[in-house]
Amino acid sequence: MQYPATHLVVMGVAGSGKSTIAAALSKHLGWASAEADEFHPQANIDKMSQGIPLQDEDRWPWLQEIQNWMTEQARAGHSTVLTCSALKQSYRRLLSEAEGRVLFIHLDGDAALLSQRMQGREGHFMPPTLLPSQLATLEPLTAEELEAGSLRLDITRSPEELIAAILVALKLPSGKTPCAN
């Protein structure tokens, strides 16, 4: 039986644990992975480093590059796990146009916990001062997105609990790709 490529987009605002969960999922499933931050042009990184929130016109080319990567991976027969804030439904719609099945895993938590996590991380270009703008921009997954298989998970759970919940909810096999090779 052949299955289309599956793309798991681990989404949420800064500090939600996207990188941790995506890396663990990629390792567990043996799927290709990417960090959306790697697709940002230098101009976007410079803006965020200066504490300037990105606007839609900054994000569209970045999101298109991510979607292109997902499609390239699907055409090569690879399922993927990637991080992407995917804050707005319109952004998720664009990403969903990639070839294959696209599911979103929204890591959600309260502002105090997110801020605390951001204060403790080092080496990231996005300062904690941008968290309020991300929270203001965030549009939660819609009922339609949830019915299509996307998930919203509370980040107060441990990474191990989150991974287990994702694998069970999405009926994902361990160490196997659902793509025909």
Side-chain angles (χ1 to χ4, degrees):
M1 177 179 234
Q2 290 187 348
Y3 297 94
T6 298
H7 305 288
L8 300 181
V9 180
V10 182
M11 64 165 281
V13 299
S16 61
K18 296 182 297 290
S19 296
T20 299
I21 298 304
L25 278 171
S26 176
K27 181 178 179 184
H28 186 83
L29 295 165
W31 292 3
S33 66
E35 289 272 344
D37 288 344
E38 298 168 6
F39 296 88
H40 272 300
Q42 190 61 47
N44 284 7
I45 293 170
D46 292 345
K47 278 180 105 170
M48 289 183 284
S49 296
Q50 296 169 27
I52 301 168
L54 297 181
Q55 303 300 314
D56 281 352
E57 57 269 12
D58 302 312
R59 289 187 178 109
W60 290 120
W62 167 67
L63 291 164
Q64 187 63 60
E65 286 298 315
I66 296 167
Q67 184 217 64
N68 291 344
W69 179 83
M70 292 163 61
T71 293
E72 289 169 11
Q73 293 298 312
R75 288 178 180 170
H78 302 138
S79 288
T80 69
V81 179
L82 65 141
T83 65
C84 182
S85 53
L87 297 175
K88 290 185 178 181
Q89 184 182 9
S90 59
Y91 304 166
R92 297 190 296 271
R93 248 192 319 271
L94 175 66
L95 295 173
S96 292
E97 292 173 4
E99 289 184 20
R101 180 180 180 213
V102 179
L103 298 172
F104 297 92
I105 301 166
H106 179 193
L107 301 179
D108 195 19
D110 70 38
L113 177 56
L114 293 162
S115 179
Q116 178 185 20
R117 287 180 170 193
M118 288 183 77
Q119 298 293 336
R121 69 183 187 178
E122 295 178 11
H124 198 278
F125 57 80
M126 185 163 175
T129 55
L130 288 180
L131 179 60
S133 72
Q134 281 205 322
L135 290 169
T137 302
L138 177 65
E139 296 173 358
L141 292 171
T142 64
E144 182 180 287
E145 289 171 312
L146 292 167
E147 288 170 12
S150 291
L151 304 172
R152 182 203 157 275
L153 299 171
D154 186 335
I155 63 170
T156 59
R157 297 166 76 179
S158 72
E160 295 79 16
E161 290 173 316
L162 291 170
I163 298 299
I166 293 164
L167 295 173
V168 168
L170 300 181
K171 298 178 178 82
L172 293 171
S174 174
K176 299 177 186 171
T177 180
C179 287
N181 290 322

